[in-house]
Amino acid sequence: MKFFLDTANLDEIKEGISWGCVDGLTTNPTLISKEMKGDGDFKSLVGEILRIVPGPVSLEVTSTEHEGMIQEAKKLKKLGENVVIKIPTTIEGLKALKELKKMNIDTNATLVFSVNQALMVAKAGATYVSPFVGRLDDISEDGMSLIEDIKTVYDNYSIETKIIVASIRHPVHVRDAALIGADIATMPFDVMKKLINHPKTDEGLKRFLEDWEKIDKKKLRF
Ligand code: G3P
């Protein structure tokens, strides 16, 4: 299973990469907007992200008509080899997915909330599909059962579109996505950090180090 970070924050990205657990990255207009408050501009922020991330980086278009999406996609693709174009799941989005597939440009169909949407974007040629689990949980639906259903349907028909579990809010989402066999989990930095922390690990390490201190140091030379 691959882990992507869902952020545009350079400090978080650099720290996550140093752990050896980041296979790629996703952004959206909200995440980019959060990082554009200072002096930086879009091109230098994204250029740096594309340079340091060791894998695909999803950048989202903001046009709502397919012609505009394709124009944006062409410009974004020039920023780096590893750019994946994030396209909203609408009828205009389907047209853009189909065109971009013909142009050999990788795409990520975003804002997916149903199995039928996942089927449609796969048929249109999406490289990745991003079902949003947290936002379904927010409205008292079961986000993770959507992942299970998409996985079953994609397996039924040997569909190659890769499932990116998105809108992850906590470590249980990541564990469940892995048990279902989703291809990728994209998560905020704080969720990735929580995956490694365990109070019993901290407690155990503290005890080992305390016991080690009890040994006469002369006996430890080697
Ligand atoms: O990048 C899309 C997605 O991960 C958004 O998450 O928490 O805003 O629903 P969230």
Side-chain angles (χ1 to χ4, degrees):
M1 184 191 206
K2 291 192 188 305
F3 281 180
F4 288 4
L5 273 175
D6 193 32
T7 182
N9 182 283
L10 284 172
D11 292 334
E12 292 181 349
I13 297 168
K14 286 176 191 161
E15 180 63 14
I17 289 171
S18 76
W19 302 345
C21 298
V22 176
D23 303 302
L25 190 108
T26 50
T27 65
N28 61 40
T30 305
L31 294 171
I32 295 281
S33 153
K34 258 169 68 182
E35 304 307 318
M36 300 293 287
K37 295 203 172 109
D39 294 334
D41 62 281
F42 177 78
K43 199 174 170 190
S44 43
L45 173 68
V46 168
E48 179 68 353
I49 292 174
L50 292 168
R51 195 181 62 77
I52 62 178
V53 173
V57 173
S58 289
L59 301 173
E60 190 159 339
V61 299
T62 51
S63 303
T64 50
E65 310 297 329
H66 75 278
E67 296 94 339
M69 293 178 193
I70 290 160
Q71 287 320 310
E72 275 187 70
K74 283 185 190 160
K75 277 177 76 181
L76 290 169
K77 194 64 200 173
K78 283 193 190 137
L79 298 176
E81 248 322 289
N82 50 342
V83 170
V84 171
I85 307 299
K86 225 172 169 187
I87 298 283
T89 299
T90 59
I91 287 176
E92 288 300 306
L94 290 176
K95 295 178 193 171
L97 290 171
K98 180 178 172 236
E99 285 306 306
L100 293 169
K101 166 94 177 167
K102 276 203 264 172
M103 295 160 69
N104 268 326
I105 293 179
D106 284 345
T107 52
N108 175 357
T110 190
L111 291 164
V112 165
F113 294 95
S114 75
V115 177
N116 289 336
Q117 285 181 314
L119 266 172
M120 292 288 274
V121 297
K123 289 182 80 68
T127 317
Y128 301 95
V129 63
S130 287
F132 278 31
V133 292
R135 292 192 195 183
L136 280 172
D137 293 354
D138 287 344
I139 55 162
S140 305
E141 289 194 29
D142 182 2
M144 217 32 84
S145 69
L146 173 61
I147 303 302
E148 246 167 333
D149 291 350
I150 295 173
K151 172 83 176 124
T152 303
V153 169
Y154 278 14
D155 285 351
N156 284 348
Y157 298 101
S158 305
I159 289 170
E160 283 176 9
T161 302
K162 300 227 175 307
I163 303 170
I164 302 182
V165 181
S167 185
I168 279 180
R169 304 280 173 76
H170 49 70
V172 177
H173 278 150
V174 180
R175 182 201 64 193
D176 290 349
L179 287 169
I180 292 166
D183 301 284
I184 300 143
T186 190
M187 67 199 86
F189 176 75
D190 72 301
V191 172
M192 191 175 278
K193 197 169 171 187
K194 284 179 188 159
L195 299 183
I196 192 68
N197 289 335
H198 198 290
K200 294 301 281 180
T201 304
D202 297 341
E203 180 195 298
L205 181 60
K206 186 168 173 285
R207 172 121 58 94
F208 285 158
L209 294 177
E210 283 166 0
D211 289 344
W212 189 255
E213 281 308 309
K214 293 173 194 159
I215 306 173
D216 178 353
K217 292 292 170 292
K218 284 201 287 288
K219 294 184 185 170
L220 288 172
R221 284 199 202 108
F222 63 98

